[in-house]
Amino acid sequence: MGAERQPLTPQQRLALSRRALVAQLQGDRPEAPQDELSALPAPAVRPAVYDHFAWSSVARGVVRRWWRRHPANAAGQLARPLLERYAREEPAKLVGAAAAAGALVVLVKPWRLLSITAVLAAVVKTSDVADMVTTLMQKNANPRKDPP
């Protein structure tokens, strides 16, 4: 067997992280070899609060499917390549535009213009909720088999 590896110190991990960030911002490939990066300990996975409920996986699946079919997700998927390229070329302008948009949303408070009923109608109308429910019922329906 090979020699056992000692985990990296926090200072070493910070140095690796800084090098990777600088390389990414300069558009270069990361300089750190894969074996250095693989020496980093894997982050601890903590169970979320909602993992204790039996129906949480079903609810998560419904929400994921709803979001995949939502028009806002489609618009985001179309805008992603443009935004990624713009973020590489002009990161300061992008951050400034995001800050301005956030300030505008806070000042205008568009959530006061819509009623809860209108928001719910838009959510149900834009996504095919009935189709999702039907699909979920078909997946979970187990035909009853009587013993011979």
Side-chain angles (χ1 to χ4, degrees), residues 24-145:
Q24 178 67 30
L25 289 173
Q26 292 175 347
D28 299 337
R29 292 275 183 194
E31 294 177 7
Q34 282 301 103
D35 56 350
E36 281 185 32
L37 295 177
S38 63
L40 294 175
V45 178
R46 289 182 21 193
V49 173
Y50 53 80
D51 285 339
H52 297 293
F53 300 108
W55 49 266
S56 64
S57 63
V58 173
R60 242 179 298 150
V62 167
V63 170
R64 282 187 187 135
R65 181 176 169 145
W66 171 80
W67 179 243
R68 278 196 313 260
R69 299 173 61 125
H70 198 276
N73 184 28
Q77 293 294 325
L78 290 173
R80 173 173 259 146
L82 175 68
L83 287 174
E84 285 177 350
R85 184 176 57 83
Y86 192 71
R88 277 193 304 274
E89 294 171 1
E90 301 286 343
K93 286 183 182 178
L94 185 64
V95 170
L104 183 65
V105 166
V106 169
L107 290 174
V108 173
K109 299 178 183 167
W111 55 88
R112 290 186 176 181
L113 301 174
L114 298 173
S115 68
I116 292 175
T117 308
V119 171
L120 287 175
V123 167
V124 172
K125 185 178 180 183
T126 58
S127 63
D128 193 3
V129 175
D131 183 44
M132 283 193 307
V133 171
T134 304
T135 304
L136 285 174
M137 290 175 69
Q138 288 174 354
K139 283 183 182 177
N140 294 333
N142 293 330
R144 183 176 167 194
K145 294 183 180 178

Side-chain angles (χ1 to χ4, degrees), residues 5-17 20 32-43:
R5 291 196 144 164
Q6 297 294 327
L8 296 176
T9 65
Q11 290 82 10
Q12 291 170 329
R13 291 193 319 239
L14 180 63
L16 283 173
S17 173
Q34 282 301 103
D35 56 350
E36 281 185 32
L37 295 177
S38 63
L40 294 175

